[in-house]
Amino acid sequence: GNLVLFSASSNTQSSLPYKEQGHGMFTYFLLDILQSSQGKCTYSEIFNYLEDKVSLNSLKVNEKKQNPKVSASPSVNDKWLDWGF
């Protein structure tokens, strides 16, 4: 039905740690946006934030690429972009 899946990296990459913060890179920035927005954000805002922050910081901290991905069931197409968390 209306499934949206966020993943920490592409299928050819590893999901990397953010040791300084005690989390995985993806988890740290997911928690960061949820806390700073107090949960009042859309799925597209979450994904855009994760895509930017995880990709950039993974290169800086781990010197490796990590690009979050999102997949949505065909029945929702791009409708999920405006869904609120």
Side-chain angles (χ1 to χ4, degrees):
N2 50 349
L3 178 70
V4 178
L5 173 72
F6 288 81
S7 57
S9 61
S10 75
N11 62 348
T12 61
Q13 300 171 334
S14 296
S15 299
L16 302 166
Y18 197 177
K19 291 180 183 176
E20 295 171 8
Q21 300 299 332
H23 286 289
M25 188 69 63
F26 178 88
T27 302
Y28 175 77
F29 287 107
L30 176 61
L31 294 173
D32 185 51
I33 190 170
L34 293 176
Q35 183 178 28
S36 64
S37 69
Q38 297 179 346
K40 296 176 182 162
C41 49
T42 65
Y43 283 13
S44 62
E45 290 169 332
I46 293 170
F47 182 68
N48 291 335
Y49 183 81
L50 290 171
E51 190 175 43
D52 179 54
K53 296 293 186 179
V54 172
S55 299
L56 178 64
N57 285 284
S58 183
L59 285 173
K60 285 181 181 179
V61 173
N62 295 308
E63 298 178 351
K64 293 183 180 179
K65 289 184 179 182
Q66 180 178 343
N67 304 98
K69 299 295 178 193
V70 67
S71 300
S73 58
S75 63
V76 297
N77 294 317
D78 291 334
K79 296 176 203 172
W80 66 271
L81 293 166
D82 296 322
W83 290 352
F85 186 77

